[in-house]
Amino acid sequence: MIGGKRPGSKTLDCGWFYEPTLLAGVKPGMQVEQEEIFGPVLSVIRVGSLDEAIRVNNDVRYGLSSALYTRNVNAAFQAMTDLDTGITYVNAPTIGAEAHLPFGGVKQTGNGHREGGWEVYEFYSETKVVYVDFSGKLQRAQIDTYGLVP
């Protein structure tokens, strides 16, 4: 373990500060692997393959976001398809959300709402279509083919 304690700075004594922490040797099923900590904590789990990494990821009851670093485009597309998370980053760090997208994670993570991005307009709106013809003439329907020569 690296970190894992309150910083020793006098300027940080009056707050709830915690050093960034790296936990090595974490195994699938451990509480720290199964919970959403939302702190400066990274749990490292050693896996032998992409398939195993996807299985470990998907066995957690939460699914906010995931990140994969690879040069293998097939691995990237497998991760995008198979990882059970609300957002997957390829070759970029996960920040957990994107303000311009409807996002809330999957499974038991997030708050379940998708209030973000342009899709929010569809949720809160009802579409009404209006067509106005100012020609003063009766228009034929688009499917009315009577009288047309084949």
Side-chain angles (χ1 to χ4, degrees):
M1 177 174 83
I2 298 172
K5 60 186 187 298
R6 290 186 61 144
S9 169
K10 294 280 186 206
T11 59
L12 302 177
D13 281 348
C14 295
W16 297 94
F17 298 99
Y18 198 74
E19 289 181 344
T21 304
L22 177 70
L23 301 173
V26 174
K27 303 290 184 210
M30 292 175 76
Q31 184 175 359
V32 70
E33 183 256 356
Q34 289 289 317
E35 297 291 333
E36 286 186 316
I37 298 173
F38 292 112
V41 178
L42 176 66
S43 300
V44 179
I45 302 171
R46 184 177 291 267
V47 294
S49 68
L50 177 59
D51 288 333
E52 184 182 358
I54 291 169
R55 214 171 25 257
V56 168
N57 176 87
N58 291 349
D59 283 343
V60 176
R61 68 178 176 254
Y62 301 103
L64 190 59
S65 63
S66 57
L68 169 80
Y69 288 84
T70 184
R71 291 186 179 134
N72 182 332
V73 69
N74 292 326
F77 276 93
Q78 180 182 353
M80 287 185 269
T81 301
D82 295 346
L83 284 170
D84 196 10
T85 54
I87 191 167
T88 297
Y89 296 83
V90 177
N91 297 333
T94 175
I95 59 170
E98 295 287 339
H100 62 287
L101 297 171
F103 180 73
V106 298
K107 300 190 273 187
Q108 294 182 31
T109 195
N111 59 14
H113 298 290
R114 301 292 189 262
E115 293 182 352
W118 290 103
E119 291 182 21
V120 73
Y121 294 112
E122 290 182 27
F123 180 80
Y124 288 109
S125 301
E126 184 173 321
T127 302
K128 181 176 184 175
V129 177
V130 177
Y131 179 82
V132 179
D133 182 341
F134 290 103
S135 71
K137 299 178 184 174
L138 181 62
Q139 301 295 322
R140 293 170 52 149
Q142 293 174 351
I143 60 171
D144 184 1
T145 59
Y146 178 78
L148 296 179
V149 178

